[in-house]
Amino acid sequence: MHLNVAVQMDPIERINIRGDSTFALLLEAQARAYPLSYYTPDRLAMRDGKVSAAVRPLTVRDKAGDHFTLGEPRHVPLDSFDVVLFRQDPPFDLAYITSTHMLERIQPKTLVVNDPGHVRNAPEKVFVTEFSDLMPPTLITRDLEAIKAFRAEHGDIVMKPLYGRGGEAVFRLEREDLNFGSLYDLFAATFREQWVVQKFLPEVRDGDKRIILVDGEFAGAVNRVPAADDLRSNMVRGGVPKATDLTKREREICARLGPALRERGLLFVGIDVIGDYLTEINVTSPTGIRSVKALGGADIAALLWDKIEEKRAGAPA
Ligand SMILES: Nc1ncnc2c1ncn2[C@@H]1O[C@H](COP(=O)(O)OP(=O)(O)O)[C@@H](O)[C@H]1O
Ligand SMILES: [Mg+2]
């Protein structure tokens, strides 16, 4: 199959190719001989309702320090592509939201992965609350009284920003911790949004598992074990990736989420599980596929492109 592919991503010169899932997807696309075009979100435009971008031809190489070559920019209608990989990283701010609105205009002629409207409606720590029976007790608010009541009930809690990522500003507060008041004030001053208050899960010592689903089906997983001196399992915070299998409970979680993800065109999703509990559903720009493969797991980039080919095979001309 031939697919004309564009990728909307953050500056490619800044990525760390060893861990970058977007890069893995680009390598696989190139191996399938799909021509690749690249643009950053600031090169997107909508004129009289028609969306275009200044795209540059891209070739990639799995070689740190020399991982890409870009050609000259050309301004083209974005619906001239068969597939747009929407891989812009958060912040999930109004610029991000505006990107999703523009990308919605090129559907269904172009397949956008993941579906931009549904990405917009599914911020990772909010979407997951549709499955709150699978989650630890979780409160989203900025109301002091509500947090105090939750803390009185659960004792050992975690406070973290609603739109944080990479373990940013994740705090554990034990029952007796006298820093609660100050931390509340700091969150209230720092974040305009409500934030997350969650029961602390001691199982985090054994890791926070990233499970990847392609079109709602389990594709691979990697466990991330936090450093001994940190709560956070994120690899950027020193979490160590380990090969892993799914437990019975995790298979149940995947089975529950699968139909909801498929229905929404969320083809490439990473969910996070601590102990028996689901904590996040990452749809914006999930990562982890290079670790899965490096640890002997599936080639998720290949699985995703197989799926995209299947979808395009039945697509409008
Ligand atoms: N309820 C919790 N109990 C124990 N550890 C937690 C909890 N919530 C978060 N953590 C730790 O903090 C890390 C980052 O939190 P997470 O909710 O995944 O936000 P982020 O989007 O920043 O990755 C997790 O990987 C885990 O190590
Ligand atoms: Mg996380």
Side-chain angles (χ1 to χ4, degrees):
M1 184 174 223
H2 176 83
L3 291 177
N4 199 7
V5 175
V7 61
Q8 174 171 329
M9 63 185 286
D10 299 299
I12 192 167
E13 58 274 18
R14 290 196 216 141
I15 64 176
N16 170 6
I17 64 167
R18 250 174 285 286
D20 197 275
S21 293
T22 306
F23 194 73
L25 296 177
L26 294 174
L27 284 172
E28 177 64 22
Q30 184 174 270
R32 295 180 184 212
Y34 305 154
L36 297 176
S37 296
Y38 159 95
Y39 66 97
T40 49
D42 55 321
R43 301 313 307 271
L44 197 57
M46 179 158 73
R47 177 167 173 174
D48 304 331
K50 293 261 177 284
V51 178
S52 61
V55 304
R56 303 175 69 176
L58 169 70
T59 52
V60 285
R61 289 172 297 278
D62 203 3
K63 201 168 156 209
D66 178 31
H67 61 283
F68 69 98
T69 305
L70 289 173
E72 287 305 307
R74 259 182 333 126
H75 218 102
V76 296
L78 210 54
D79 68 0
S80 60
F81 294 98
D82 301 304
V83 178
V84 171
L85 291 179
F86 176 34
R87 292 289 302 174
Q88 177 178 349
D89 281 327
F92 195 78
D93 56 7
L94 284 171
Y96 198 103
I97 302 278
T98 306
S99 275
T100 67
H101 283 291
M102 290 195 191
L103 290 176
E104 269 187 306
R105 299 293 177 91
I106 64 173
Q107 298 182 120
K109 188 157 181 275
T110 299
L111 175 65
V112 184
V113 179
N114 285 327
D115 182 283
H118 284 293
V119 166
R120 183 176 63 238
N121 285 335
E124 12 263 31
K125 293 187 181 71
V126 179
F127 181 31
V128 65
T129 63
E130 287 186 28
F131 305 91
S132 53
D133 61 308
L134 303 176
M135 294 182 68
T138 302
L139 169 70
I140 299 177
T141 189
R142 57 188 295 128
D143 182 70
L144 179 60
E145 293 312 315
I147 301 176
K148 279 187 175 167
F150 185 90
R151 189 170 181 233
E153 186 180 342
H154 295 292
D156 202 347
I157 61 167
V158 166
M159 285 215 316
K160 53 189 175 184
L162 188 53
Y163 297 99
R165 66 201 151 115
E168 227 166 63
V170 179
F171 291 89
R172 174 183 175 189
L173 286 161
E174 289 177 76
R175 188 176 284 279
E176 304 302 328
D177 199 319
L178 297 177
N179 293 306
F180 170 71
S182 285
L183 194 62
Y184 175 87
D185 293 343
L186 193 64
F187 268 57
T190 308
F191 302 110
R192 292 167 59 98
E193 304 84 18
Q194 298 85 338
W195 61 85
V196 180
V197 187
Q198 197 164 62
K199 186 176 161 68
F200 170 72
L201 300 168
E203 302 92 321
V204 71
R205 276 284 125 240
D206 305 321
D208 178 350
K209 196 178 289 187
R210 164 55 54 90
I211 301 172
I212 296 180
L213 296 102
V214 170
D215 201 20
E217 296 280 340
F218 168 70
V222 56
N223 195 23
R224 298 160 302 177
V225 180
D229 62 354
D230 206 309
L231 169 69
R232 301 165 301 170
S233 315
N234 309 73
M235 292 188 230
V236 287
R237 309 293 176 184
V240 178
K242 304 261 192 218
T244 185
D245 285 320
L246 291 197
T247 63
K248 181 165 167 283
R249 164 79 169 178
E250 288 159 348
R251 283 197 297 273
E252 283 166 17
I253 291 175
C254 292
R256 274 283 301 286
L257 300 188
L261 303 178
R262 258 195 305 280
E263 226 165 70
R264 291 169 165 85
L266 297 170
L267 282 183
F268 182 37
V269 170
I271 66 171
D272 293 338
V273 178
I274 303 174
D276 276 340
Y277 297 99
L278 179 66
T279 62
E280 286 190 80
I281 303 178
N282 287 274
V283 305
T284 48
S285 186
T287 59
I289 70 178
R290 294 214 98 177
S291 306
V292 170
K293 192 173 173 194
L295 292 165
D299 185 344
I300 296 172
L303 293 175
L304 182 62
W305 282 112
D306 287 349
K307 183 54 74 177
I308 291 172
E309 287 177 4
E310 188 188 310
K311 300 263 173 204
R312 283 317 291 182

